[in-house]
Amino acid sequence: MKLLLVAEQIDGLVAGRTNELCAFADQLGAAPVMFMAGTSDQLPSARERLYLLESEGYAPDSHKEAILKTVAAERPDMVVFLHSSYGWDLAPRVACALKADCVSGVAGYRDNKLIVPAYNRKLNREVELSTSCMVLTLQPGAFSAEMRKCEPAEIIPVDVEVESSIEFLGYEPGDENSVDLDKAEVIVAAGRGVMNDDSLPRIQELAARLGGEHAATRPVVDANDVEHCRQIGITGQSIRPTVYIACGISGAVEHSAGASSSKYIIAVNTDPDAPIREIADVLVVADANKFLPLLLEKI
Ligand SMILES: Cc1cc2nc3c(=O)[nH]c(=O)nc-3n(C[C@H](O)[C@H](O)[C@H](O)COP(=O)(O)OP(=O)(O)OC[C@H]3O[C@@H](n4cnc5c(N)ncnc54)[C@H](O)[C@@H]3O)c2cc1C
């Protein structure tokens, strides 16, 4: 099986999650070739061949055409994107042009089938691989792996001449007060389980004392208790700190997808069977309202 992995570059920097594409290929035991549109200043860690379209910014028409050219040259069984704003926009365009199946938000692979969450993760769909080319996007964090050292790949330039009807104006920086949780070494987060007690200020204090950032799940953000820039999950930020402390958080996949790349996860939950235990290294079965004051006392 052969995969075409579509790496991303924004403002000259390769997206950190590109290694997840390689991890997916490894899980399928597939031979990966890579495509990227961007500058050659920073290249992704590719295996074998990297098709490079020299391009600044996002130009959907030319990026699509360049991927189609690469598909024609390599004839992959799958074209694989990250489930990011880039992948959301480009994958359906490519699938449409190829008349290929488009499966978005793939979260697993088992017995030759793709696992795709449905109905707010209450069910999983199992999608069988077809023999024709398929286009996929991968859920963040679903296929994480340590970056493997690769031999420098052969770089194959791709040229396209496309008259685009879309003009790329540039990227706008987010709110300057926003917090880049991706850079924090320690993150302490609050979930609905601690929303209505005194835990929220304690979580903020704990994060500050540990030199980290505080964060929250979506219900806490929706209640306006914490700013949206601190939300962890698929509609918030993806994090990869050394230590993640999740307080009163059940571990719904929409949250865990953004948190599971943390190196060491400590969950505080009254429910010993809370799904967060699946990604936690340590589960403290306790009422956070009682546990946090004791922890703060010890630190
Ligand atoms: C399209 C979509 C996108 C979404 N995106 C996101 C996202 O980006 N981020 C996100 O977080 N969610 C997201 N969600 C929501 C997600 O599905 C969950 O509903 C949400 O993550 C649950 O948040 P929670 O864990 O805080 O609350 P709950 O699921 O209600 O869990 C609360 C937990 O607290 C525990 N608890 C209760 N009392 C205590 C106590 N005193 N001490 C300790 N533990 C206690 C309970 O046992 C429970 O496990 C999304 C949903 C959809 C449909």
Side-chain angles (χ1 to χ4, degrees):
M1 186 186 293
K2 191 195 269 185
L3 306 190
L4 175 62
L5 310 176
V6 181
E8 286 176 37
Q9 198 191 63
I10 295 179
D11 283 343
L13 297 175
V14 175
R17 289 195 171 275
T18 303
N19 61 329
E20 297 183 11
L21 297 167
C22 296
F24 176 70
D26 287 347
Q27 203 170 324
L28 269 67
V33 287
M34 204 173 257
F35 168 89
M36 190 182 78
T39 65
S40 51
D41 297 349
Q42 199 191 66
L43 295 174
S45 195
R47 317 238 176 96
E48 297 184 28
R49 293 179 292 289
L50 170 67
Y51 287 80
L52 182 67
L53 171 73
E54 287 281 347
S55 153
E56 278 186 22
Y58 178 43
D61 296 333
S62 59
H63 289 198
K64 181 189 81 181
E65 282 311 312
I67 291 172
L68 294 178
K69 247 184 153 175
T70 311
V71 168
E74 289 286 345
R75 303 200 157 276
D77 300 286
M78 294 178 190
V79 184
V80 190
F81 293 81
L82 295 168
H83 197 66
S84 59
S85 54
Y86 185 73
W88 297 334
D89 193 79
L90 199 51
R93 293 174 194 269
V94 170
C96 229
L98 291 172
K99 294 192 169 32
D101 291 341
C102 188
V103 185
S104 65
V106 173
Y109 176 74
R110 199 174 47 228
D111 302 333
N112 241 12
K113 288 178 186 140
L114 300 166
I115 311 296
V116 186
Y119 298 109
N120 194 14
R121 190 64 178 201
K122 293 194 168 48
L123 294 175
N124 277 334
R125 281 191 295 141
E126 289 188 342
V127 181
E128 285 202 33
L129 303 181
S130 76
T131 45
S132 58
C133 187
M134 291 174 86
V135 177
L136 318 178
T137 67
L138 305 183
Q139 282 274 8
F143 298 93
S144 13
E146 291 296 318
M147 185 61 102
R148 252 177 42 180
K149 283 230 179 329
C150 303
E151 296 298 314
E154 180 193 355
I155 299 185
I156 304 172
V158 190
D159 292 318
V160 284
E161 274 184 34
V162 179
E163 266 203 35
S164 182
S165 54
I166 299 164
E167 187 189 356
F168 176 75
L169 297 179
Y171 295 105
E172 274 189 15
D175 176 1
E176 57 184 46
N177 296 322
S178 73
V179 181
D180 191 357
L181 293 179
D182 202 22
K183 296 204 174 84
E185 285 293 316
V186 178
I187 294 177
V188 190
R192 184 157 32 202
V194 297
M195 234 162 75
N196 297 320
D197 57 31
D198 298 329
S199 296
L200 221 48
R202 289 192 185 118
I203 282 167
Q204 294 174 3
E205 193 186 337
L206 181 61
R209 281 213 214 164
L210 295 173
E213 294 286 352
H214 70 93
T217 61
R218 182 157 150 174
V220 180
V221 170
D222 285 350
N224 287 328
D225 288 348
V226 171
E227 312 94 286
H228 179 258
C229 60
R230 294 181 183 272
Q231 180 180 314
I232 298 168
I234 58 166
T235 47
Q237 291 203 44
S238 292
I239 57 164
R240 45 183 73 231
T242 308
V243 179
Y244 176 48
I245 306 176
C247 306
I249 293 175
S250 61
V253 68
E254 292 85 358
H255 177 80
S256 296
S260 59
S261 297
S262 309
K263 281 217 176 86
Y264 197 80
I265 301 179
I266 302 162
V268 185
N269 202 303
T270 42
D271 177 4
D273 296 320
I276 190 99
R277 62 181 294 169
E278 284 168 26
I279 61 161
D281 295 283
V282 171
L283 175 64
V284 181
V285 181
D287 178 345
N289 207 26
K290 293 187 181 141
F291 177 73
L292 288 171
L294 294 174
L295 185 60
L296 280 167
E297 220 177 273
K298 295 261 182 207
I299 292 174

